[in-house]
Amino acid sequence: VQLQASGGGSVQAGGSLRLSCAAAGRTSGDLFMGWFRQAPGKERELIASINWSGGSASYDDSVKARFTISSDNAKNTVYLQMNSLKSDDTAVYYCAARYAGLGGWRYWGQGTQVTVSS
């Protein structure tokens, strides 16, 4: 599967952004999609994931109740709606994919920068 992320930008604290990840290739019920982020000087971290069919959404505590991951199978796209953004959310955001039972996150999109100013 090939992934292309978009939607990053600059926003003030308290604002919102929506990231998109367009997928091409084998998309099926055993595909899981994830959003990672990497802040300067920090390791890349998984913040949200979802099954391609839209179930099994999970979130890191740092974004729970503020971010929502969703999938639109008709558009072959996964979204990350980010609300109530904080300066700590500033990072490069990546979408990734894995197939159930076939190892870890093997497929990556390019990063998109999100900058939140206070």
Side-chain angles (χ1 to χ4, degrees), residues 43-85:
E43 293 187 355
R44 191 174 299 187
E45 60 177 351
L46 175 65
I47 57 170
S49 65
I50 193 169
N51 176 264
W52 183 253
S53 62
S56 302
S58 64
Y59 301 90
D60 183 80
D61 286 346
S62 63
V63 305
K64 199 173 292 184
R66 299 188 298 124
F67 291 9
T68 302
I69 188 171
S70 62
S71 66
D72 185 334
N73 294 167
K75 295 183 178 180
N76 275 0
T77 301
V78 172
Y79 302 99
L80 185 69
Q81 178 67 43
M82 306 185 294
N83 298 329
S84 302
L85 283 161

Side-chain angles (χ1 to χ4, degrees), residues 3 11-12 17-18 22-23 32 46-47 50 53 59 61 65 91 98 100:
L3 307 174
V11 65
Q12 290 191 330
L17 282 173
R18 188 178 77 162
F32 285 81
L46 175 65
I47 57 170
I50 193 169
S53 62
Y59 301 90
D61 286 346
R98 65 177 180 87

